[in-house]
Amino acid sequence: MRGGIAVFDRHTIGGDVVEITHVSGICRRTPAGTNGRRDMRAQVLTEIPGDASRKLLGEQAAVESSARAYPRLTPIAVAGGSGAYLTDADGNVFLDFLTGAGVLALGHNHPELLRAAQDQLQVSTHALDFPTEAKQDFTRALLRMLPEPMRDKTRIHFCGPTGADGVEAALKLCKTHTGRSGAVSFHGGFHGSTQSTLGLTGLRASKDLPGNPSISSFFPYSYCHKCPIGLSPDSCSVNCIQYLENMLNDPNGGTPRPAAVILELVQGEGGVIPARPEFVRRLRDLTDELGIPLVVDEVQTGCGRTGTWYAFEQYGIEPDVIVSSKALGGGHPVSVILYREEFDRWQPAAHTGTFRGNQLAFAAGAAQIRVMERDGVLGNVREVGAHLEQGLRRLQERYGFIGEVRGLGLMLGMEFAPLGPWTAGEVVDRVRKAALRRGLIFEPAGRGGCVARLLPPLNLTREEADEALDILTAAVAEAAEPARAPRGHDGH
């Protein structure tokens, strides 16, 4: 034991001591000659995967579903993490720009969030939908996150623990309110992997299941880099919305008036594509005019990811329903929908879920919001996000096969073009593997994996952003070199 925390593993890397603690999994890196000052940096000294990771990955592959995804892309076994850094079972330290697919808003093992969850463990962990002090504290924090004019006219429903559960609840709410069925969603959108949310999701491969329901009518999204109707912003009157407007108003258009329209204001899985402001404002006007509830899926963009609590604030609209999850619970699973009070037509027990009362998520989530308010994290997202984006744009200027840099706040992406014998997705894969060998984790997104998607912690420092830019610069330079292996080689 050391200071009440049991150390179960210790590594020496480049003269530094890396300790993984038994209690919290926190990785502490103590550089040599610094009198115990903690100063983590990415450092990879083994092959990927190393021996310890390879053993655990093999055991996982022997018993887990073949649907497992992240260990296939990033073949490591996780030992722990601290802040923006993650340590694998072999003691390699990575700068984590995946952060649990956006769940870890303040990085790994933030001490105040750990303390809140640990304190709550002594009180209760599960309370269905009974009121508790932790839940009411969290509820007050949720309302503070909304623009002030919305706070007094908003109801909250606590859903099951995932974002897909929240989307399911939002659609059910809108159907109850309108008495209609079906929904409108957009090309490239992602709203979950359950049977119903698959019907709202653009990815066609996910629908190739016998009897899979398709409850949605799909329309073009404002993906101006590759306009779905072949226009450019300087010659376009937001024709994608005009198309939707014509279809919904045309008695022979074939699309009945739906129970809801649902969209992401920044498509995540679709390739980090922010909607154009005029697209969103016209969509809000159209849905208002036709009496169609507008649902914004803020599962990934919410909780400060784009530089405001919710992305819709930057578009000057008020949605009818907001879906929030991922980062909301301070690293613990929770999802909610927030909606106009006139939509609250549910009868008692009309929508339930056993794990909608996760007290650890309420305690850690409320603590996270307080930390973000106190420390000015939203301002940091805007400042460091702009700094990181500028660095990516400088990289784009050097390499013509980076087609576009885009995003909001600390939700950023680089879309690549084909290079030599490589498709755009293969270029991203080469960059990703080269970055991983240098200590940076990110994942691909977009059509064919053509986008490098960056989701760092919201309290990322400029120094950490610069470290990531250095790694990305080296990784892109390596990918730009003539192919050194046959097409399809894994690059390891």
Side-chain angles (χ1 to χ4, degrees), residues 401-414:
F401 61 98
I402 301 177
E404 187 174 44
V405 170
R406 57 180 180 249
L408 288 178
L410 283 171
M411 185 175 179
L412 296 168
M414 291 188 293

Side-chain angles (χ1 to χ4, degrees), residues 39 147 209 250 256 303 349 360 389 393 431 473:
D39 181 22
L209 300 169
D250 183 355
C303 214
L360 299 182
E389 184 176 356
R393 292 191 185 283
V431 173
T473 298

Side-chain angles (χ1 to χ4, degrees), residues 292-372:
I292 303 171
L294 178 61
V295 179
V296 293
D297 181 338
E298 298 252 14
V299 169
Q300 192 166 114
T301 52
C303 214
R305 170 62 58 184
T306 66
T308 48
W309 284 118
Y310 290 106
F312 74 81
E313 299 174 65
Q314 300 182 47
Y315 289 88
I317 67 162
E318 285 189 12
D320 298 304
V321 186
I322 305 159
V323 185
S324 187
S325 186
K326 280 195 184 289
L328 193 62
H332 299 267
V334 67
S335 71
V336 302
I337 56 173
L338 304 101
Y339 55 93
R340 294 183 186 274
E341 58 185 355
E342 59 265 32
F343 280 44
D344 197 32
R345 298 183 180 181
W346 274 339
Q347 296 300 310
H351 194 78
T352 62
T354 302
F355 289 100
R356 66 194 187 279
N358 184 347
Q359 303 299 302
L360 299 182
F362 298 156
Q368 175 177 272
I369 293 167
R370 284 193 294 271
V371 168
M372 292 177 69

Side-chain angles (χ1 to χ4, degrees), residues 461-476:
T461 66
R462 275 179 171 258
E463 292 74 19
E464 291 163 345
D466 287 336
E467 182 182 7
L469 287 169
D470 288 344
I471 293 173
L472 281 169
T473 298
V476 171

Side-chain angles (χ1 to χ4, degrees), residues 22 79 187 198 241 254 287 292 338 419 466:
H22 178 73
H187 301 164
L198 280 177
I241 283 295
T287 53
I292 303 171
L338 304 101
L419 177 67
D466 287 336

